[in-house]
Amino acid sequence: MRKRPQVASASSSSSEAKTKAADEEIETTTASDNAYVRSAKRSGFVWMIAFLAAMYSAWGVYYYQYQNLPPPLTAEQAGKRGFSEIEAMKHVKALTDLGPHPVGSDVLDQAVQYVLTASEEIKKTSHWEVDVEVDFFHSKSGANRLVSGVFKGRTLVYSDLSHVVVRILPKYVSEAGENAILVSSHIDTVFSAEGAGDCSSCVAVMLELARGISQWAHGFKNAVIFLFNTGEEEGLNGAHSFVTQHPWSSTVRLAIDLEAMGIGGKSGIFQAGPDPWALENFALVAKYPSGQITAQDLFSSGAITSTTDFQIYKEVAGLSGLDFAYTDNSAVYHTKNDKLDLIQPGSLQHLGENMLAFLLQIGPSSHLPRSNVLEEEGKTDHEAAIFFDVLGTYMILYRQRFANMLHNSVILQSLLIWTTSLLMGGYPAAVSLALSCLSAILTLVFSVTFSAAVAFILPLISSSPVPYVASPWLAVGLFAAPALVGALTGQHLGYIALKRYLADLYSKRKQLSPLIQAEVIKLEAERWLFKAGFVQWLILLLLGNYYKIGSSYMALVWLASPAFAYGLLEATLTPVRLPRPLKLATLLIGLAVPILISAGSLIRLAGIIVAIVVRLDRNPGGTPEWLGSVILAVFIAVVISLTLVYLLSYVHLSGAKRPIVLATCVLFGLSIVLVLSGTVPPFSEDTARAVNVVHIVDATGRFGGKSEPSSYVALFSTTPGKLTKEVERIKEGFECSRKNVIDFVTFSMEYGCLTYDDTDIGWSQSDIPTIHVHSDAKVDEGITQVSIDLKGSIRWVLAINAEEIEDFTFKEAEELEELVPVGDKTSLDGWRIIQYSGGKNAPTKFDMALIWTKNSTRSTCNVDEQKDEQHLLLKLRTDFNRLTPKAEKILSKLPSWCAVFGKSTSPQTLSFLNSLPVNF
């Protein structure tokens, strides 16, 4: 009878013993961790040192990767077969001394003649077993329609272009002439720049390369063709004419384009493929490899609105290859400041030595890509290359197929680890993870909000909405400082939320004293904030991998490296062990590789955004003044919130929060004071505001000679901001307003300044282009014959109303062959655009056949409706590169911080406007 209670008592005692043993284990563990728990505070000084070390390392990586240039070599140092920057710079000087040389100018003829003479000299001094053929190629008229990029929706027509083509091949290798490597760049410049960077530097590098290759080519199995083309600045016309008209173009197997979107520095690969063969060989032998797939991703996405001859070689000729570009000092692009003085010593040596080694590698190869086989077989996605350089010394390259395997492996392992952790931790771990993710979201939101708020405020308090253009370091104080405070604020709120939840969770553990419990909560929250970084980068890696974004490698390194360091130094499988302070070594080891791989590129990209702001407003006045600053601010905030997530998690146990906020506020305040006081001006003589001064003769609405044209000079800018300060300096009767809207056909001036004073001289009625309707077919036939007389203009643009005209043909007057036949037309904003550029002897009279749409409003428009833009049938603008007395006077008074900006769609200094209404 008494044994039952004894059994029950024994069972109860056993259970109590187990609980007591577990409690003793926890107490033992707790006791052993007491020293760590009580030292939950971290030195604020140590954190500040770590932060400054990270910033200094990032800047050091950027400087070494992009600013560390090789020493220029003389002809004697380079030798007969080497590359000499000193010799190449002689070519740059000779070309820039000519001044701007746009298509159709006498100066361009001189530049082409200089290149031809230099090429003939290379032929004379070549190796006796090498053939150097120099061809002065004059192209006939042609038309080009691109399916993507900045010229999408336009028909590009050209005529009377001259190029210099040099082919170097071994004398005794018969098949070399059938397999060629094309190296290409352009001689012409825009009308507003002498083109030291864009692209006299490229032409000079090619001439020096040709000289060197002429001493090596006897060992080649392939020819090397150097194409010095003209017409690139007006629509890639030179490259198109070579590809479609020159007999040597059929032998080209690989294309290499040299370009500049700035001046000097390192010329890096920013487009490659689709076949990665060329990129793989370049990475193998380049002495100073430079290239980032990030640039290719941005370029192909349209975020950077520009294009190069490489698009012609890729789309029209179906070639693979490489596209190089100088991007330093991008703010001077296409302005007077694209000058010789700004080319950094070593810039040409860098590109020249890389290219020489590359050509020597592929010249003797028997495996040049035959055609764009990858695209034909639909294998481009898997065979495309992921590439990036490390410190400008090594290039890492792997194909998309391997990237998919690597990314999927890391993603699956990460998901497996997180799943295991959540299963072990249960509901509390899931809630803690959710709160840590909330902290990452708050970090991003607050960082972007604080930084973008400054960008919105700048136009209201500053004389310029972009006061940092001439001094990009100002962006650190104006945007990075508030972004850092915002990131810290957001993570601090997440930290508080985590602490509250953990406090409720740990309050149920009676074995911990209140003091130790409070410290444990802080340590646990710190670890969750650190691990939130894994989650955010894992999500970015998932998205990048899904959409096949090459730049996903950055997410990979920012996930894998810190996760490895954490697993090595911090992770534990003991569930009863109390958390300890994160080790400083975890941070240092975890951030070393990501900073090394990505810091330089991110800083470089921020600098490029600053430069692009100078020409952001493609329709002057049509873009909000704050937009450029908001783009920069958001980019900086996103980078700070994503990359500092690990470092900021360390700050909560230190006393560094207040000093951080104070220091950033002081930095921000000083930056604002410098901006408002004008101590640091927004623009300088070398980094100027992009403006245009155009004398306009507007004959729109005078079809049939019903009214006199109006004449005025327009001043407008592609750089955001008012022109009040500039007009005060120039005077000359300018009035600025958003009511001064001018339709330049390719773009619209939404804000600008006009003056009508003394604008009736410098042009004549005979310069005004005419649009003549020859015959109008019956309504049921729906065809109208129109002739256009450009009155001597060899650069013009015509817009055809796509709602009224279904198709059209276009040809030179009195010629039978159509330059633009029926079919394959696209439109841009409701207009079919023809953009024309030609040499001095280009034709100026053309015939068109307009094919009306079936639902045309032609017969229903009344006279009043014709005045509206949508009831115009044709819009025409002709350009002349000549100065009227009024325009010349204004340009002479232009402030030193302003520079005339030119591009393919912008007018030159004298423009004529005309139109044809629907009901003509």
Side-chain angles (χ1 to χ4, degrees):
M1 296 293 295
R2 294 181 182 176
K3 289 183 180 180
R4 287 180 86 85
Q6 287 176 356
V7 171
S9 176
S11 175
S12 176
S13 299
S14 175
S15 175
E16 289 175 6
K18 288 180 181 179
T19 304
K20 184 176 180 182
D23 289 344
E24 285 176 355
E25 186 179 357
I26 292 174
E27 287 171 6
T28 302
T29 306
T30 303
S32 66
D33 286 344
N34 262 348
Y36 293 99
V37 170
R38 288 177 180 176
S39 62
K41 270 197 167 184
R42 182 177 287 110
S43 169
F45 178 75
V46 171
W47 189 91
M48 292 296 291
I49 292 296
F51 175 78
L52 293 175
M55 298 303 102
Y56 181 80
S57 299
W59 181 257
V61 168
Y62 165 75
Y63 183 85
Y64 195 89
Q65 187 170 3
Y66 290 104
Q67 302 299 317
N68 185 37
L69 294 167
L73 299 182
T74 64
E76 292 75 19
Q77 291 171 321
K80 195 174 183 180
R81 294 182 168 190
F83 184 93
S84 166
E85 176 176 304
I86 304 302
E87 293 302 305
M89 285 298 289
K90 293 177 182 178
H91 298 307
V92 180
K93 186 176 187 311
L95 291 170
T96 54
D97 283 349
L98 297 173
H101 33 281
V103 171
S105 66
D106 292 330
V107 185
L108 180 59
D109 291 341
Q110 297 174 35
V112 171
Q113 186 58 48
Y114 174 85
V115 173
L116 181 62
T117 303
S119 301
E120 294 287 358
E121 189 62 30
I122 291 170
K123 180 178 182 178
K124 294 176 183 177
T125 59
S126 63
H127 190 277
W128 66 275
E129 291 183 281
V130 173
D131 268 339
V132 177
E133 303 171 25
V134 180
D135 180 31
F136 181 74
F137 174 54
H138 185 268
S139 67
K140 60 182 181 181
S141 299
N144 176 30
R145 287 189 294 272
L146 296 172
V147 298
S148 64
V150 71
F151 294 115
K152 181 181 179 180
R154 297 178 187 172
T155 301
L156 306 168
V157 185
Y158 56 86
S159 182
D160 190 36
L161 298 179
S162 297
H163 321 303
V164 177
V165 191
V166 179
R167 183 166 71 168
I168 303 175
L169 68 168
K171 281 184 179 179
Y172 306 113
V173 182
S174 57
E175 66 271 18
E178 297 304 315
N179 299 282
I181 302 157
L182 177 68
V183 183
S184 171
S185 191
H186 62 95
I187 306 172
D188 61 305
T189 70
V190 292
F191 75 95
S192 56
E194 62 186 37
D198 185 20
C199 210
S200 294
S201 59
C202 312
V203 170
V205 167
M206 284 173 56
L207 285 171
E208 180 64 5
L209 277 174
R211 183 201 58 77
I213 292 298
S214 70
Q215 306 299 322
W216 284 98
H218 55 283
F220 284 10
K221 295 179 181 178
N222 309 293
V224 180
I225 297 174
F226 291 91
L227 170 62
F228 304 89
N229 70 65
T230 63
E232 190 273 349
E233 296 292 6
E234 299 298 338
L236 318 180
N237 298 326
H240 186 269
S241 66
F242 172 80
V243 165
T244 56
Q245 299 179 27
H246 199 283
W248 292 347
S249 65
S250 61
T251 68
V252 176
R253 306 287 174 247
L254 189 73
I256 303 159
D257 183 51
L258 306 185
E259 254 298 351
M261 284 174 276
I263 182 169
K266 290 188 175 182
S267 179
I269 298 171
F270 72 101
Q271 290 189 98
D275 191 318
W277 184 86
L279 188 60
E280 289 168 345
N281 278 272
F282 176 82
L284 189 66
V285 298
K287 192 173 181 180
Y288 315 105
S290 181
Q292 295 288 335
I293 196 171
T294 305
Q296 178 171 294
D297 287 342
L298 289 171
F299 209 78
S300 59
S301 70
I304 297 178
T305 52
S306 186
T307 190
T308 71
D309 283 337
F310 189 69
Q311 184 179 0
I312 296 291
Y313 303 134
K314 188 176 177 181
E315 285 188 13
V316 180
L319 298 170
S320 290
L322 303 176
D323 200 3
F324 292 82
Y326 288 110
T327 54
D328 267 20
N329 298 311
S330 292
V332 309
Y333 178 66
H334 283 189
T335 69
K336 66 177 183 180
N337 290 320
D338 186 1
K339 55 189 179 183
L340 187 66
D341 296 344
L342 293 184
I343 297 180
Q344 293 174 261
S347 300
L348 274 60
Q349 192 70 41
H350 174 267
L351 176 59
E353 289 198 45
N354 280 343
M355 281 297 302
L356 183 59
F358 177 50
L359 292 175
L360 293 180
Q361 168 74 8
I362 64 176
S365 174
S366 302
H367 306 289
L368 294 183
R370 283 287 168 182
S371 64
N372 203 340
V373 177
L374 296 175
E375 285 193 339
E376 292 172 3
E377 297 179 357
K379 298 180 180 179
T380 307
D381 287 345
H382 292 300
E383 297 300 329
I386 312 299
F387 62 96
F388 55 92
D389 70 274
V390 180
L391 298 180
T393 305
Y394 306 98
M395 179 164 279
I396 296 177
L397 184 148
Y398 49 93
R399 299 199 179 192
Q400 184 65 53
R401 188 187 302 274
F402 176 78
N404 293 341
M405 295 171 56
L406 178 62
H407 295 175
N408 289 334
S409 173
V410 172
I411 290 169
L412 289 174
Q413 290 181 57
S414 298
L415 292 176
L416 180 62
I417 291 170
W418 274 113
T419 302
T420 305
S421 299
L422 293 177
L423 289 174
M424 291 177 63
Y427 178 76
V431 176
S432 298
L433 175 62
L435 290 174
S436 66
C437 291
L438 175 63
S439 77
I441 294 171
L442 291 174
T443 299
L444 178 62
V445 170
F446 276 81
S447 182
V448 170
T449 301
F450 283 27
S451 189
V454 177
F456 280 112
I457 293 170
L458 271 180
L460 304 177
I461 63 175
S462 171
S463 61
S464 170
V466 287
Y468 44 80
V469 169
S471 306
W473 51 265
L474 267 179
V476 176
L478 292 175
F479 305 125
L484 179 58
V485 172
L488 183 57
T489 302
Q491 197 180 78
H492 179 70
L493 293 176
Y495 177 67
I496 292 173
L498 264 170
K499 283 206 307 180
R500 287 183 178 177
Y501 172 73
L502 293 172
D504 181 61
L505 182 65
Y506 275 96
S507 64
K508 300 172 184 177
R509 295 191 180 184
K510 304 298 184 181
Q511 70 273 19
L512 295 177
S513 67
L515 178 62
I516 293 178
Q517 182 176 295
E519 298 303 313
V520 165
I521 290 168
K522 293 179 183 178
L523 295 172
E524 188 76 20
E526 178 188 59
R527 286 175 173 260
W528 279 111
L529 291 178
F530 188 89
K531 290 187 284 188
F534 304 157
V535 178
Q536 71 174 22
W537 286 111
L538 176 60
I539 292 172
L540 290 175
L541 182 60
L542 277 164
L543 292 173
N545 191 54
Y546 179 79
Y547 290 105
K548 300 294 186 292
I549 300 172
S551 302
S552 301
Y553 77 88
M554 287 194 183
L556 178 68
V557 297
W558 278 97
L559 168 62
S561 183
F564 172 78
Y566 185 88
L568 181 67
L569 301 175
E570 306 290 351
T572 176
L573 296 177
T574 307
V576 296
R577 176 180 169 182
L578 295 179
R580 303 184 182 189
L582 291 173
K583 299 179 180 67
L584 188 61
T586 304
L587 187 67
L588 297 178
I589 295 173
L591 295 187
V593 173
I595 289 176
L596 181 68
I597 296 296
S598 65
S601 299
L602 293 174
I603 295 173
R604 178 70 154 196
L605 187 53
I608 290 174
I609 294 174
V610 171
I612 289 176
V613 164
V614 174
R615 50 189 181 275
L616 177 72
D617 206 347
R618 301 184 73 84
N619 294 298
T623 302
E625 292 186 345
W626 43 260
L627 183 61
S629 293
V630 167
I631 293 172
L632 178 61
V634 169
F635 173 77
I636 290 173
V638 169
V639 169
I640 285 177
S641 59
L642 292 180
T643 58
L644 293 186
V645 61
Y646 302 115
L647 184 59
L648 286 178
S649 65
Y650 275 68
V651 79
H652 302 285
L653 297 185
S654 71
K657 288 181 184 177
R658 287 186 180 179
I660 292 170
V661 173
L662 180 61
T664 50
C665 287
V666 169
L667 178 60
F668 173 70
L670 285 174
S671 301
I672 289 292
V673 169
L674 290 173
V675 169
L676 297 182
S677 65
T679 305
V680 180
F683 310 104
S684 66
E685 188 171 352
D686 285 339
T687 308
R689 181 178 190 177
V691 301
N692 285 89
V693 176
V694 188
H695 192 139
I696 300 166
V697 179
D698 189 350
T700 56
R702 67 186 293 267
F703 180 74
K706 296 178 182 178
S707 61
E708 289 297 317
S710 59
S711 176
Y712 49 87
V713 174
L715 170 67
F716 56 89
S717 176
T718 56
T719 308
K722 300 282 192 298
L723 289 163
T724 308
K725 191 175 180 181
E726 288 78 6
V727 166
E728 289 175 354
R729 177 71 67 91
I730 298 170
K731 301 186 190 308
E732 296 301 326
F734 275 112
E735 292 184 6
C736 303
S737 173
R738 290 196 173 274
K739 297 179 181 179
N740 298 332
V741 178
I742 302 174
D743 185 353
F744 282 103
V745 183
T746 51
F747 69 96
S748 178
M749 186 190 84
E750 304 293 334
Y751 165 82
C753 307
L754 304 182
T755 178
Y756 292 85
D757 299 345
D758 305 321
T759 59
D760 293 330
I761 55 175
W763 61 276
S764 66
Q765 292 278 348
S766 61
D767 293 324
I768 300 174
T770 59
I771 304 174
H772 180 66
V773 179
H774 273 295
S775 63
D776 194 18
K778 296 179 181 179
V779 175
D780 56 349
E781 294 180 3
I783 299 176
T784 297
Q785 300 291 335
V786 175
S787 67
I788 302 173
D789 188 346
L790 286 310
K791 302 296 184 179
S793 174
I794 53 176
R795 186 182 191 265
W796 53 269
V797 60
L798 176 71
I800 304 164
N801 194 328
E803 294 181 0
E804 304 291 338
I805 301 301
E806 182 179 354
D807 208 337
F808 65 89
T809 63
F810 180 85
K811 68 183 185 68
E812 297 174 11
E814 301 179 359
E815 291 288 335
L816 296 177
E817 184 180 358
E818 294 176 342
L819 285 172
V820 183
V822 171
D824 196 26
K825 306 289 195 311
T826 55
S827 62
L828 186 67
D829 299 327
W831 295 90
R832 306 191 194 281
I833 306 293
I834 299 177
Q835 188 170 316
Y836 184 92
S837 175
K840 292 185 299 183
N841 299 316
T844 59
K845 294 181 180 181
F846 298 89
D847 292 331
M848 297 183 68
L850 304 178
I851 304 171
W852 294 81
T853 60
K854 293 181 180 179
N855 57 349
S856 168
T857 61
R858 176 183 181 188
S859 58
T860 61
C861 290
N862 58 46
V863 177
D864 292 332
E865 287 176 330
Q866 291 178 21
K867 296 177 181 178
D868 190 42
E869 180 190 23
Q870 66 182 5
H871 292 103
L872 289 178
L873 183 64
L874 302 177
K875 298 187 295 183
L876 175 65
R877 188 193 84 217
T878 59
D879 296 330
F880 292 88
N881 188 24
R882 73 172 190 250
L883 289 173
T884 62
K886 184 66 174 181
E888 186 174 18
K889 187 176 182 181
I890 292 169
L891 286 171
S892 68
K893 293 184 176 182
L894 204 63
S896 60
W897 67 80
C898 293
V900 174
F901 174 68
K903 58 180 180 179
S904 62
T905 56
S906 63
Q908 293 181 327
T909 49
L910 176 60
S911 290
F912 294 85
L913 304 177
N914 208 342
S915 63
L916 179 69
V918 172
N919 276 357
F920 47 80

